[in-house]
Structure formats: structure tokens, C-alpha cells
């Protein structure tokens, strides 16, 4: 650790300056009032913003892991990352399809909503293992968002697929998934 040289008391002066800057920033940002608090002048009224519900566990996982490629609206990036909104793989009546994609990953050419993609999706069941309940939550979020209307996925279904895939290595391909669809 390097010690600053200079006048005696310079450290206290810097501490005071830092504290003053922090106090000014807090005051300018509304200080002691919670974000979104009413800052109208006394005697005036403003419409209160509706309270926001906490994000579901599935939505939080999606925002942490999936959003970069599949985007906040589930539309993906054309030509690069396939959409999840309206995807026949996401909406499959057989929950093994989306579960296996998350657990094992996906690689190679795939057609989603009539558009061709050819890339790699990392597996989240091995290496970067997500627990069964977290996989179920994120898949349920994806299967019920952006106009998708598919059944929820349970942790028990994920556990069963994880067990069935035990010993299988490498990412899946569209050809591996086709018989399940």
C-alpha cells in the first residue's frame, strides 16, 4: 500500500471533501426520499406511480444469463441468435425439448420460425450448472412471456431430464431434438 506524502491533515481534508461530494450527490438525487417519491411542492398533487412487482426468479435468471443473446423482448438477434418468442422449440408440447436445450446446449444449424441460424448455445446443466428449480423457473418464464402460452416446467421434470441425459456429452443439434417434437 502506498502512503501519500504531503501536508499533515491532508487525509482528513480529502475525507471531508469526499463526504461533502457524497452528501451533495445524495441531496441532488432526492436524498432521504425513496426513488419515485413525491417531490412536488406542498399543496400540489401528483399521480403516484403504481408499485412494481418484484421480478420472478425465472425473469431474474433470464436477465442474468439469456438476455444478451435472446434480448429483453425474446426476439433474439436476426441471423445470429434465434428468437424465443414464438419458437417451436420453446413451445414444444414435450417439455424435454426446452429442458434438454438448457441442460446440454445447442450447436449447429437450426430453423426457428422459418429463419435459419447456425451457432452455439452454452449448456447450463453441466459446468455452469443451474439447479433444477432455477432451470424450471427460467423455462417457465420463457414459455409464458412475449405472447408464448405453453405449460410451466417443474423442477421434477428438469430432474428427470437431467437424469435421462446423465452420461450424454456435448451439445444437442436440431436433428437430436426433432424426434422429441
Amino acid at each position: 500500500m502506498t502512503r501519500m506524502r504531503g501536508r499533515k491533515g491532508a487525509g482528513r481534508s480529502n475525507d471531508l471533501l469526499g463526504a461533502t461530494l457524497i452528501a451533495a450527490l445524495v441531496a441532488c438525487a432526492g436524498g432521504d426520499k425513496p426513488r419515485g417519491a413525491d417531490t412536488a411542492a406542498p399543496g400540489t398533487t401528483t399521480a403516484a406511480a403504481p408499485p412494481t412487482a418484484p421480478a420472478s426468479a425465472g425473469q431474474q435468471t433470464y436477465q442474468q444469463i439469456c438476455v444478451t443473446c435472446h434480448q429483453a423482448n425474446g426476439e433474439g438477434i436476426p441471423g445470429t441468435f434465434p428468437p424465443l418468442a414464438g419458437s417451436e422449440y420453446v413451445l414444444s408440447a414435450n417439455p424435454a425439448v426446452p429442458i434438454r436445450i438448457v441442460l446440454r446446449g445447442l450447436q449447429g444449424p437450426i430453423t426457428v420460425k422459418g429463419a435459419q441460424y447456425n451457432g452455439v448455445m452454452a449448456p447450463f446443466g453441466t459446468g455452469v450448472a443451474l439447479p433444477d428449480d432455477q432451470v424450471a423457473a427460467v423455462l417457465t418464464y420463457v414459455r409464458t412471456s412475449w405472447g408464448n402460452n405453453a405449460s410451466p416446467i417443474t423442477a421434477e421434470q428438469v430432474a428427470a431430464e437431467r437424469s435421462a441425459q446423465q452420461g450424454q456429452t456435448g451439445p444437442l443439434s436440431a436433428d437430436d431434438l426433432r424426434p422429441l417434437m
Side-chain angles (χ1 to χ4, degrees), residues 19-88:
T20 303
L21 286 173
I22 290 171
L25 288 171
V26 168
C28 290
D32 59 342
K33 293 186 179 189
R35 226 172 195 185
D38 184 9
T39 56
T44 63
T45 60
T46 60
T52 56
S56 71
Q59 184 178 16
Q60 288 175 347
T61 300
Y62 184 84
Q63 292 297 325
Q64 293 168 346
I65 297 174
C66 315
V67 75
T68 302
C69 298
H70 297 290
Q71 304 297 291
N73 62 4
E75 291 296 328
I77 298 174
T80 307
F81 301 110
L84 300 179
S87 164
E88 50 269 49

Side-chain angles (χ1 to χ4, degrees), residues 7 17-18 21 26 52 60 67 78 85 90-91 99 119 134 138 140 147 173-174:
R7 301 185 320 226
L17 177 61
L21 286 173
V26 168
T52 56
Q60 288 175 347
V67 75
V90 167
L91 298 173
I99 294 170
Q134 196 171 3
V138 74
T140 296
S173 69

Side-chain angles (χ1 to χ4, degrees), residues 1 8-9 17 19 27 56 79 82-84 86 104 122 129 132 134 146 165:
M1 187 169 178
K8 263 188 169 178
L17 177 61
S56 71
L84 300 179
R104 294 213 21 225
D132 296 344
Q134 196 171 3
W146 318 297
Q165 293 296 296

